[in-house]
């Protein structure tokens, strides 16, 4: 498998999802079917970063900001489904992920579907939102940018693997543009907690990668 999450940790991710589903569906067969789809997508051989390890990191980071979240279940569904569709050659992954989410969760009693769709769609451009829960989701999604140099290097190498269909000159051009767009933001992160914890290191990491690409 293309990710580094052992079976015990996969079970943790699975149980957290099933416990969430059980609040809105008493059809355990269907709940497991939804999980199996998530696991299959996030463990695809083409995934080196957008995988279960990415979900695990978001869930771990989430624990630090739970008290700030207005609707935890909505945010959890958004985490699990935000990258369920991910193809490096496509530009509508977020929209397609939202479609899969809506199709699946429409069969439950969960009533926050529209909010989840909006959150999932927001992960495309990562623009500051008037909704704090959405901003937290965006910060969780990008938290890897502010990790240690070693962890960031692992992340950047895995991103390159996901885009291996592109030759180096094309990848470098696109990656440099993406990194510059992030660096030029007033703030990479949207919420005080993540700005304080990761903003400075994230900018250093991004600048370092840009130098390596130039």
């Amino acid at each position: 498998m293309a990710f580094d999450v052992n079976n015990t940790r996969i079970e943790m991710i699975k149980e957290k999802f099933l416990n969430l589903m059980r609040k809105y569906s008493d059809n355990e067969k269907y709940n497991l079917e939804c999980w199996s789809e998530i696991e299959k997508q996030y463990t695809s051989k083409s995934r080196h970063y957008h995988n279960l390890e990415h979900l695990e990191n978001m869930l771990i980071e989430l624990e630090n900001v739970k008290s700030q979240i207005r609707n935890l279940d909505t945010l959890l569904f958004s985490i699990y489904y935000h990258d369920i569709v991910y193809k490096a050659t496509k530009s509508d992954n977020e929209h397609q992920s939202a479609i899969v989410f809506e199709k699946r969760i429409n069969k439950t009693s969960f009533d926050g579907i529209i909010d989840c769709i909006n959150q999932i769609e927001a992960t495309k451009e990562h623009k500051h939102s008037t909704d704090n829960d959405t901003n937290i989701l965006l910060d969780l999604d990008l938290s890897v940018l502010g990790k240690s140099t070693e962890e960031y290097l692992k992340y950047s190498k895995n991103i390159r693997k996901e885009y291996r269909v592109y030759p180096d000159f094309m990848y470098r051009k696109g990656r440099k543009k993406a990194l510059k767009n992030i660096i030029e933001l007033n703030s990479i992160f949207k919420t005080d907690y993540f700005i304080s914890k990761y903003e400075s290191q994230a900018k250093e990491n991004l600048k370092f990668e840009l130098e390596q690409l130039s």
Side-chain angles (χ1 to χ4, degrees):
M1 288 183 180
F3 58 91
D4 184 25
V5 181
N6 63 36
N7 288 335
T8 301
R9 289 154 67 194
I10 291 173
E11 282 300 310
M12 181 276 289
I13 300 168
K14 174 183 177 180
E15 280 307 304
K16 189 177 285 288
F17 176 77
L18 289 176
N19 288 336
L20 176 64
M21 285 290 290
R22 287 167 185 148
K23 293 183 181 182
Y24 308 101
S25 167
D26 57 9
N27 185 340
E28 189 67 5
K29 181 180 178 182
Y30 184 71
N31 299 341
L32 286 166
E33 186 180 316
C34 290
W35 165 253
S36 294
E37 180 180 41
I38 289 172
E39 184 176 30
K40 179 182 178 181
Q41 292 298 104
Y42 281 92
T43 58
S44 164
K45 289 182 179 179
S46 65
R47 299 202 185 205
H48 299 271
Y49 170 70
H50 293 90
N51 51 32
L52 289 180
E53 189 174 8
H54 174 49
L55 289 191
E56 181 189 39
N57 178 63
M58 291 179 73
L59 293 170
I60 290 171
E61 291 286 349
L62 177 66
E63 292 298 314
N64 299 314
V65 291
K66 267 187 174 180
S67 63
Q68 301 175 31
I69 296 166
R70 176 176 54 83
N71 193 320
L72 180 60
D73 288 357
T74 297
L75 194 59
L76 283 169
F77 272 126
S78 294
I79 288 171
Y80 277 98
Y81 279 94
H82 81 288
D83 281 330
I84 193 165
V85 176
Y86 186 81
K87 297 177 182 177
T89 56
K90 301 293 184 181
S91 62
D92 65 343
N93 291 316
E94 296 81 7
H95 181 60
Q96 294 302 322
S97 293
I99 288 173
V100 173
F101 163 76
E102 183 176 19
K103 178 181 176 182
R104 281 303 194 180
I105 308 306
N106 255 334
K107 297 180 181 179
T108 74
S109 64
F110 179 67
D111 64 1
I113 288 177
I114 297 300
D115 288 338
C116 272
I117 289 173
N118 290 336
Q119 288 181 358
I120 293 169
E121 296 271 14
T123 62
K124 180 177 178 64
E125 296 187 345
H126 276 265
K127 291 182 178 179
H128 192 280
S129 173
T130 56
D131 176 62
N132 190 60
D133 283 6
T134 299
N135 289 329
I136 289 175
L137 174 69
L138 300 179
D139 285 354
L140 293 170
D141 195 25
L142 292 186
S143 59
V144 66
L145 301 183
K147 297 296 177 72
S148 68
T149 303
E150 182 181 1
E151 290 176 275
Y152 183 86
L153 284 173
K154 177 184 175 183
Y155 149 77
S156 62
K157 287 177 181 178
N158 285 333
I159 289 291
R160 179 65 185 105
K161 289 177 183 177
E162 290 187 340
Y163 284 84
R164 63 187 178 278
V165 66
Y166 296 106
D168 281 346
F169 78 94
M170 286 182 67
Y171 178 76
R172 282 198 299 269
K173 182 179 179 181
R175 183 66 175 167
K176 283 162 68 176
K177 181 180 178 181
L179 295 178
K180 285 177 180 176
N181 286 341
I182 297 174
I183 289 175
E184 287 171 2
L185 294 171
N186 290 331
S187 176
I188 295 169
F189 297 99
K190 313 293 189 294
T191 60
D192 290 343
Y193 173 82
F194 286 97
I195 290 171
S196 175
K197 185 176 182 180
Y198 288 133
E199 185 77 17
S200 178
Q201 183 62 43
K203 287 183 176 177
E204 290 301 314
N205 287 335
L206 293 170
K207 288 175 184 176
F208 175 77
E209 186 179 357
L210 265 177
E211 289 172 3
Q212 298 300 306
L213 290 167
S214 298

